[in-house]
Amino acid sequence: MTLIHSPTLDTPEKSDLTLGFLPLMDCAPLVIAKEKGFFSEAGLNVQLSREGSWASIRDKVMLGLLDGAQMLAGIPLASTLGLGSPKVPMVTAFSIGLNGNAITLSRELLAEIDELGHHPSDSSAAGLKQLIACRKASGRPKITLAMVYTYSAHSYLLRYWLSAAGINPDTDINLTVVPPPQMAVTMKKGLIDGYCAGEPWNSVAQEMGIGSPVISGYQIWNNCPDKVFAVLESWHDAHPATHQALICALIRASEWLDKPQNSDEALEILLGNAYLGPALSMLSQPKLKQGNRHFYRYAASYPWRSHALWFLKQMRQWQQLKEPQADLKQIACQVYRPDLYRSVADKMKISHPTIDFKPEGFHDDDWLLPGSAGVVTMGSDRFFDGGTFDPNQA
Amino acid sequence: MTTIQSQPERVLVIDKDTSRSALLEQALTDQGYEVICRLHDTEGLIARVEQIRPDIIIIELDSPDRDVLEHMATLNSHIPRPVVMFAESGDSQTIQKAIKAGVSAYVVDGMSPERIQSIMDVAAARFREFQALRNELNDVRSELEDRKQLEQAKRLIMKHQKCTEDQAYSAMRKMAMDQGKTMTQIAKNIISVLEMLS
């Protein structure tokens, strides 16, 4: 099968770039775009900088020490709103894949839930709800669950799963942040009882024998978005052609990554010490696509404004965003830029969605969306509790 | 409105490099600040910060624990918040300098911008100084390593060609000039080839 060809794009305003990433499976599109030459074919000389925290990525992008970076989808939205950081508008025109997360609970906690008579095949938090009540009645300390960052898909998936069972994530449990590489170790020491994180950190806990995934992110919300590639809005305004070249290279890398015949090579590249080596070496058989991860399939790299709106609604629901007058739709449109994606995809002659918003929770199976040049196959978008999200009524 | 500081700011330094944090503690103490704790191991970080109640936290920029601190700050107003939140336009140079030096800070409400700036400047200067020392040490180390390899390569040639030290050295010089390579590269090649033969 032939890969997407490299189109003729405008000459980038800036060719020497530094992009930030965190050592997680979904840094793959950035790493592959560099190592397989997609950046250089787009006229870019990219250095990748491995960072230690999301806060570090955000600060360095804000101060111009990084041109752009892999980010949790909540970060450009929170930065534009001034949540937890100065108000600095960011934009994204590229989503880094779908799925790949899971909720893992410790062996001890699962044993306690089991004793209450809840079957392990029940992936809801009903057993956890009952355990919380029992612990409260007997005066035992609250359960502590961790996520990777305050404004992250992990945070909202975990909150969604808990609240569907009637658990208030802000009062019934302690909700804390633990950096992903420390998750399994922190749980082993008994400091947390479970967590929501991306791969490889759920597989690591399982291989260490200290816990098991109870529900995947995919099960909570089929084909949910997770991370994006983002830049400052001012950076985009000053470097529109460079941004286009970056999007083009990243789309090509995503398509390359979703070809089954490339997954061994991709893993080999990611295992390099500069990338994911230390994390993946903890696994006997690391898998690129653990947890139904897609990089390109189902329009995975398209920056849906409805996804941004879903995250913003979560921020408001959980009192992170306290301004009732904030126009969420306007923020979603300011930060998420499918128009930029479309202009690059047109030059690459690939079919892409022509709409900005789509409803969620209405498809149990693959479905077809009319695209710019032929239909685009979309994946199911079901929520585990049967919930729906209609961006037009949000 | 200015508040009169009767007590020195209580500083918490979080750094896995204990020699760097010792250097920073000394510098801050010299400036009249009270370094109440240096953490190199951040297990149970939340409990410790709540117990220590620092006015300012100095932490290396790349530390994964920054995401933990930022989350704590959203839950509890007593917990120091990212210094960038307090930045007036005039301070951004201080912050940029600090970030370039690899250091970040978290401060509580009500600390005077001058004091924040002064602490951050001290921290940035120490981080830079420490980096310079480390680079120097690495240079010296690799220089020593190069010299060791040159010696080893020379000895291998002497043994194989049964020649004098001067002759071995001249042979290596000639190889380096002919092949347009450095003496260290030539020494490495010789070692790998001759060790395979012997």
Side-chain angles (χ1 to χ4, degrees), chain B residues 86-152:
Chain B
F86 300 89
E88 306 289 327
S89 49
D91 295 339
S92 72
Q93 219 180 348
T94 299
I95 294 170
Q96 186 141 4
K97 241 188 339 192
I99 285 182
K100 279 186 178 151
V103 56
S104 173
Y106 289 76
V107 297
V108 289
D109 273 328
M111 231 178 115
S112 84
E114 294 78 28
R115 304 287 277 180
I116 297 175
Q117 195 173 334
S118 137
I119 293 178
M120 288 195 71
D121 284 343
V122 171
R126 289 303 157 262
F127 266 59
R128 275 200 306 273
E129 189 179 296
F130 194 78
Q131 190 56 45
L133 282 172
R134 194 144 56 185
N135 292 346
E136 214 170 289
L137 187 66
N138 285 342
D139 288 350
V140 172
R141 272 203 194 122
S142 70
E143 206 175 299
L144 261 177
E145 195 53 39
D146 289 353
R147 253 187 236 172
K148 259 197 236 162
Q149 286 189 322
L150 279 181
E151 281 303 314
Q152 195 191 346

Side-chain angles (χ1 to χ4, degrees), chain A residues 244-255:
Chain A
Q244 283 211 343
L246 280 168
I247 297 163
C248 170
L250 289 171
I251 291 176
R252 293 181 69 204
S254 300
E255 199 223 8

Side-chain angles (χ1 to χ4, degrees), chain A residues 68-246:
Chain A
Q70 167 204 22
M71 286 188 200
L72 291 159
I75 296 178
L77 296 166
S79 298
T80 303
L81 287 160
L83 297 179
S85 75
K87 214 172 194 158
V88 181
M90 293 188 185
V91 296
T92 173
F94 181 85
S95 280
I96 306 182
L98 303 170
N99 308 318
N101 298 315
I103 296 173
T104 289
L105 296 181
S106 74
R107 208 176 45 195
E108 291 75 16
L109 201 75
L110 285 168
E112 281 189 58
I113 294 172
D114 202 33
E115 274 173 34
L116 294 170
H118 280 270
H119 199 267
S121 67
D122 177 11
S123 61
S124 82
L128 192 62
K129 161 98 177 158
Q130 200 185 337
L131 181 62
I132 289 168
C134 290
R135 281 202 175 190
K136 198 175 177 186
S138 57
R140 291 176 64 200
K142 278 185 193 173
I143 286 162
T144 300
L145 299 181
M147 60 214 178
V148 300
Y149 193 72
T150 314
Y151 310 105
S152 64
H154 314 83
S155 160
Y156 305 127
L157 288 174
L158 183 58
R159 285 167 178 276
Y160 191 97
W161 180 69
L162 292 168
S163 63
I167 300 169
N168 182 331
D170 289 314
T171 54
D172 292 339
I173 59 159
N174 294 317
L175 199 51
T176 184
V177 163
V178 172
Q182 294 168 22
M183 280 291 187
V185 182
T186 309
M187 190 164 81
K188 192 177 178 200
K189 288 180 178 157
L191 296 169
I192 55 173
D193 302 297
Y195 57 80
C196 182
E199 277 302 306
W201 303 110
N202 295 292
S203 299
V204 166
Q206 201 160 19
E207 287 210 11
M208 285 167 75
I210 56 169
S212 305
V214 287
I215 188 166
S216 69
Y218 175 81
Q219 284 172 301
I220 297 174
W221 178 12
N222 292 176
N223 295 308
C224 62
D226 186 30
K227 300 201 184 66
V228 296
F229 171 77
V231 299
L232 286 185
E233 190 180 78
S234 57
W235 189 94
H236 165 75
D237 291 342
H239 309 92
T242 314
H243 197 187
Q244 283 211 343
L246 280 168

Side-chain angles (χ1 to χ4, degrees), chain A residues 21-27 50 179-185 198-205 207-208 267 270-287:
Chain A
F21 74 97
L22 241 57
L24 297 160
M25 252 341 177
D26 48 22
C27 68
R50 184 165 76 186
Q182 294 168 22
M183 280 291 187
V185 182
E199 277 302 306
W201 303 110
N202 295 292
S203 299
V204 166
E207 287 210 11
M208 285 167 75
L267 268 177
L270 289 167
L271 268 163
N273 269 331
Y275 304 127
L276 275 167
L280 291 187
S281 61
M282 296 172 78
L283 293 173
S284 53
Q285 269 194 315
K287 288 197 191 91

